[in-house]
Amino acid sequence: MNVLENFHVHSLPESIRALSREAMEARVWEIKKELGSRLFMPGHYYQKDEVIQFADATGDSLQLAKAAAANKEAEHIVFCGVHFMAETADILSDHDQTVLLPDLRAGCSMADMADIHQVEKAWEALQQELGDTIIPLTYVNSTAAIKAFCGEHDGATLTSSNARALLEWAFTKKERILFLPDQHLGRNTAYQMGIPLADMAVWDPIQEKLEWGGDPENIRMILWKGHCSVHEKFTLDNIREVRRRDPDVNVIVHPECTFDVVDAADQAGSTSFIIDAIQKAPAGSKWAVGTEMNLVNRLAATMTDKTVFSLNPNMCPCLTMNRIDLAHLLWSLESIRDGHPHHIIRVPEDVKEQSLLAIERMFAVPKET
Ligand code: 13P
Ligand code: SF4
């Protein structure tokens, strides 16, 4: 298949569009059964229920990266998540395994906020200003090219569940960290480790300059000016409002939320951390949750001995996660069964090699949460 053909976003065929939900579900089960262990379907916690019900492994970014690396049996990995996750699965899979993303439009607004050319320019400017004192770390929510950049420059990837451990590791290597592409995860994690806000600068990739007023010698964190457009929608006002309504409510948020929100919350942690905390909480407890809506709704529906609701009552699910729907999943599986798998995610070999270095460094650092 040529590259242009692969990246062409075909539209869903009428033969699938016309089916009822029940008919689509029946076909997905049928193809899954037919393909057996030739197929592996990891699904991120933020996926829709209509998709997650079919997942062979469910988890957060770190768990899914590990699940993809561990499965050496499947010929086809149909990734129910977003583009950067499918790229990671391709980087970690064997040459004879094919990774498919059911809808190529399932990107990530945060990952789109850093491209490799911007990162290279930033690196050059920062090296000139601060010398060889910086190590790059990238949240896995980034392109494979940026992961490769980190691999090449002795850095690593991280996820929201091992961010602190990776920052601690990085500070044993260099004085400063360039943290890509989520300023909030970087700021929140560094602050939790005792690094004052005054020692954190922000790199603005549009203006191509460092937002920093003090002595450059004091900079310890250089935060890329990117964010998650979903998690940034939780505000301090949301927290004040839920507490005004009910002072007993527990506020728990993801570290992709802004500093103010994380600071004011009762607890903050990765998607798995949030699920775990609510699961272990006593019956009758109340939880205002600051993370993606598909997950919050699922927690509310399954943990019925507790009250679980979104911290922001007007919140929407992640638009790009939602692009993987039942119809696109079926279309993807049919393409495999018919011998013409489409929407294949293939990371170029040289990029794969360097990004694997960054991911393996992450796996080598013991996780702590
Ligand atoms: P985690 O899966 O690491 O919690 O990240 C959340 C997220 O936004 C994934 O896109
Ligand atoms: Fe990207 Fe945020 Fe959606 Fe995760 S929730 S895929 S970080 S936009």
Side-chain angles (χ1 to χ4, degrees), residues 46 82 108-110 141 228 230-231 256 318 320-321:
Y46 297 173
V82 290
C108 163
S109 60
M110 178 198 288
N141 302 23
C228 164
V230 174
H231 288 90
E256 286 175 20
C318 171
T320 48
M321 279 276 177

Side-chain angles (χ1 to χ4, degrees), residues 37 39-40 66-75 77 93-94 97:
S37 60
L39 170 72
F40 180 56
K66 287 186 170 163
N71 187 304
K72 297 294 171 211
E73 202 185 352
E75 279 165 51
I77 298 173
S93 61
D94 286 350
Q97 295 180 297

Side-chain angles (χ1 to χ4, degrees), residues 46-269:
Y46 297 173
Q47 289 283 287
K48 288 168 173 248
D49 286 344
E50 66 184 38
V51 167
I52 211 77
Q53 61 175 325
F54 299 106
D56 296 311
T58 306
D60 67 7
S61 306
L62 182 61
Q63 292 164 327
L64 293 184
K66 287 186 170 163
N71 187 304
K72 297 294 171 211
E73 202 185 352
E75 279 165 51
H76 301 288
I77 298 173
V78 174
F79 209 102
C80 300
V82 290
H83 192 271
F84 70 81
M85 297 177 181
E87 278 192 333
T88 304
D90 184 51
I91 292 162
L92 292 168
S93 61
D94 286 350
H95 283 284
D96 56 353
Q97 295 180 297
T98 307
V99 177
L100 286 80
L101 185 65
D103 187 339
L104 287 180
R105 299 169 309 154
C108 163
S109 60
M110 178 198 288
D112 285 350
M113 288 178 200
D115 81 41
I116 185 63
H117 305 294
Q118 292 173 318
V119 173
E120 280 166 351
K121 273 190 181 170
W123 186 252
E124 211 181 297
L126 291 167
Q127 294 289 307
Q128 272 184 16
E129 190 161 350
L130 299 164
D132 182 19
T133 61
I134 312 165
I135 180 168
L137 289 183
T138 189
Y139 194 16
V140 289
N141 302 23
S142 54
T143 63
I146 291 178
K147 291 183 179 79
F149 176 91
C150 290
E152 203 183 327
H153 292 88
D154 303 321
T157 59
L158 55 82
T159 77
S160 57
S161 39
N162 59 18
R164 183 175 176 151
L166 265 296
L167 256 69
E168 278 166 0
W169 168 83
F171 278 128
T172 66
K173 308 277 172 202
K174 289 276 164 75
E175 287 160 52
R176 302 182 172 91
I177 293 172
L178 169 61
F179 191 97
L180 299 148
D182 182 14
Q183 57 171 313
H184 302 309
L185 179 64
R187 185 178 292 111
N188 290 324
T189 311
Y191 187 78
Q192 197 202 6
M193 287 166 60
I195 297 174
L197 294 180
D199 294 357
M200 302 186 209
V202 173
W203 177 265
D204 183 332
I206 308 293
Q207 301 295 326
E208 295 182 6
K209 66 169 201 247
L210 207 54
E211 291 177 359
W212 173 252
D215 179 353
E217 271 309 302
N218 296 335
I219 299 177
R220 299 197 63 205
M221 291 291 290
I222 302 155
L223 306 166
W224 191 265
K225 200 172 189 172
H227 64 265
C228 164
S229 46
V230 174
H231 288 90
E232 233 195 23
K233 290 206 177 69
F234 296 101
T235 64
L236 203 48
D237 278 347
N238 293 147
I239 299 187
R240 290 193 187 114
E241 181 56 19
V242 293
R243 286 190 175 141
R244 187 188 65 73
R245 285 173 187 234
D246 183 352
D248 290 338
V249 73
N250 297 285
V251 177
I252 190 164
V253 301
H254 195 282
E256 286 175 20
C257 293
T258 61
F259 176 77
D260 289 356
V261 167
V262 170
D263 195 42
D266 298 301
Q267 295 182 58

